[in-house]
Amino acid sequence: CIFFDDALSGRYGNCERVAKLGCLSIHTPDGLTIERWRTGLDAFANGKRGIVIQVQIPQITLPCISMAMPFAALLLNGEKSLESRNAPIFKDIAKQQCLIRVGHKDWKYDQKLFDKLNIPKKALELPRGIRRGDIVGICYVGETMPKTQLSDDDIERQVLVSFQASGKFVTHISNPKWFSKGHKSPGKPGIYFAQVPTHLLSPHVSSR
């Protein structure tokens, strides 16, 4: 048999325990990928049994920000094109890609404003299979400027909050893309650097 699991050893280490029973175990710490699936099948076909195989997946390190719902979904669904903060935290990563992590908390939003802007209810939701606490997508970071350079209407339409409720600085966000699956990662305040498997950034990943 072939056994795929994310728990390697220790008290809850299924991989090593199952391998001792004579099965081929494949360790999947961040989920089952096509690379791990193929490695398992090839190893099994070559007669490997009673061992644990750990497949190293290529990783890339990029800037990341953790966002509350529903604004993380609104950004990656293409409804939100400006991000506002009270400090210019995006300034140092202008003209770069930035990973988006979905936080566990919700942020208060103005349903009347969303109705006024005809924001569809589905745009506030995560796609099926995407979970909070994961890095779920990527976007391109543009210019940061004081919000006073924009009109109230621009803020409402692009930040999706009122001018009064928005932060002091706004940053242009473009080319948002959902990943085909989330990558579990702890969140941190502000901009931080995180690693994700390179296959998540493959060209076939597109906006939803």
Side-chain angles (χ1 to χ4, degrees), residues 101-140:
R101 176 185 180 274
V102 180
H104 290 283
K105 295 182 179 181
D106 290 334
W107 194 264
K108 186 178 179 180
Y109 61 92
D110 186 343
Q111 185 61 56
K112 291 183 178 180
L113 176 60
F114 287 2
D115 292 341
K116 171 186 172 182
L117 297 174
N118 295 315
I119 303 295
K121 184 178 179 180
K122 192 172 182 179
L124 283 71
E125 302 171 354
L126 298 175
R128 179 178 297 180
I130 297 294
R131 304 173 303 178
R132 295 175 185 246
D134 288 359
I135 295 174
V136 300
I138 194 167
C139 66
Y140 182 80

Side-chain angles (χ1 to χ4, degrees), residues 3 5 16 18 29 32 40 59 66 77 83 87-88 90 96-98 106 108 110 123 149 172 176-177 183 185 190 207:
F3 178 73
D5 199 77
E16 290 187 352
V18 172
L32 181 59
Q59 304 268 325
S66 186
N77 282 323
E83 176 63 9
F90 292 96
Q96 296 183 50
Q97 289 181 308
C98 183
D106 290 334
K108 186 178 179 180
D110 186 343
Q149 294 186 17
H172 286 280
K177 298 179 186 294
H183 177 74
S185 177
S207 301

Side-chain angles (χ1 to χ4, degrees), residues 68-80:
M69 284 290 288
F71 293 99
L74 288 164
L75 187 150
L76 288 169
N77 282 323
E79 297 290 342
K80 177 179 170 68

